Amino acid sequence: MRFTQALTCLPFFASMAISAWNDFTNLHPVLAPGYDTAKLANIAPSTNVTLDYSLDALDPRSSVSIDLQTYEPVVLLEAIGSVLQVACTYNAVTIGFDNPAALERAASEWPHNGNFWLITSHLGNCNAPGERGIYLVTGLDWNNDAKMVTAQTAKMGFGSIASSIAVTFSDVQGSLSNNSGNITFDEPGINVASNFSLPTDEEILSEPPYFTATAKNGYLSDAAVIRGHFSYDVPTKQLQSLWFDIDSAFYGDLAVAFNVTAPFNSNRYSFSPGTFFASAVNVPGAFSLQPALRWTVGADVGTDGAIQHNSNITMSIPDGHAHIDFLNSSSSYIVGWGPRLTSAVQTDEAATGHASPFVDFSIELALSILDGAFNATGGVAATPQFVNELNVAQSQTRIRKTDRMVWPRNITCSNGFELRSAFNFSVDAYVTDSWQKTLYSTEIPIDDECYPF
């Protein structure tokens, strides 16, 4: 006996053209837009300083912005347009100005006994490429004729200078504001993507000697734009806020052949085709953010007899937006996530049972603040499942999952088997060792028919 069925719920989304992804190693300092380098007022030390970083050499918009509140005042040298040159040794920073007025302003504003900070950037040899240097000033020597000052210094890190640190990732102003399903992947910021192909006819699930599942074909693709913010109080080591907005799209095409030769109890099987780690978004000493994209392919299978069943599902989510508040699960929510599906099944041998493949796709973010003073990991996971439940008229046994798999039966087959199919889809957010919450869940009935032997 042979039966073939093809069902279409919604068309899947077209492929996206994406330029640069996953490599954040070129993160480099840029001057925050709030600073006007022509203003001599920037020479005055301040206990509030903003440090911006960009991933795009041609786009001045920042990908990361760090706001520091400091114990002692800070002079941000890159914000002073009249600084002509900077040179560093192991215990001194020498600064040259291009006019006497700037030198005089520094002499009047900078504490002569030191006890303030200098932050260096692109000038001189004071820091590694793509980084800033942080120096505690302990004394000053002035050379008016050369328009230079030499500061006796000790090189320090973010943990020494900051009483609090707040970091903003990408342009949060537009985050989750566009509910139309349009995701812009060409903005400067944290854009990640991956894809996996399963080898044809690869056995991915099994329970010898009674059960195997073979991938006839499989392709998985995903993309995400990540924005977010955290603030951290250094003396108390307390996180004040931490949230991320994730705009994501994914596509999966999976064909699985199930072969069951004898009865066995229901179980969930899974296979991981891989985890993709983009490069970390890293400002040394301040924070490190590691994005990871994970895929799992699996199935819920159980039967009271032999089954030969093929399931083919193509699904896409072109408009998944999630707001994840790591400190407050009740403030987490999603927008969009409308599933699109094309499916087909073929049953060559039937028994009462089920063979229901699923795909689990997750975007995970691991954050480390101040070289491990605080660590947190969390993300969002989407799980589409193609539920196929078979009921043979002669069988009195019901093999199913513990929870209900599909909607209540509306037909009874007298001579043959019943096939009930549905598309289940859920989106969960989580913070490891803290909380997990289902933000969205839907069940879409596809078919409930009788087929004769």
Side-chain angles (χ1 to χ4, degrees), residues 1-7 309 344-351 388-394 411-421 446-453:
M1 188 283 303
R2 188 176 181 85
F3 151 69
T4 302
Q5 173 192 30
L7 302 163
H309 176 84
V345 295
Q346 175 180 300
T347 303
D348 294 325
E349 186 173 1
N388 296 292
E389 192 171 88
L390 298 104
N391 297 294
V392 176
Q394 292 90 338
I411 63 171
T412 301
C413 295
S414 58
N415 184 25
F417 72 93
E418 173 193 5
L419 175 66
R420 296 189 295 162
S421 297
I446 296 176
D447 193 34
D448 188 358
E449 298 290 341
C450 282
Y451 299 92
F453 289 111

Side-chain angles (χ1 to χ4, degrees), residues 139-154:
L140 296 169
D141 293 324
W142 300 89
N143 186 332
N144 294 336
D145 292 336
K147 301 190 290 293
M148 300 179 72
V149 58
T150 298
Q152 289 76 52
T153 59

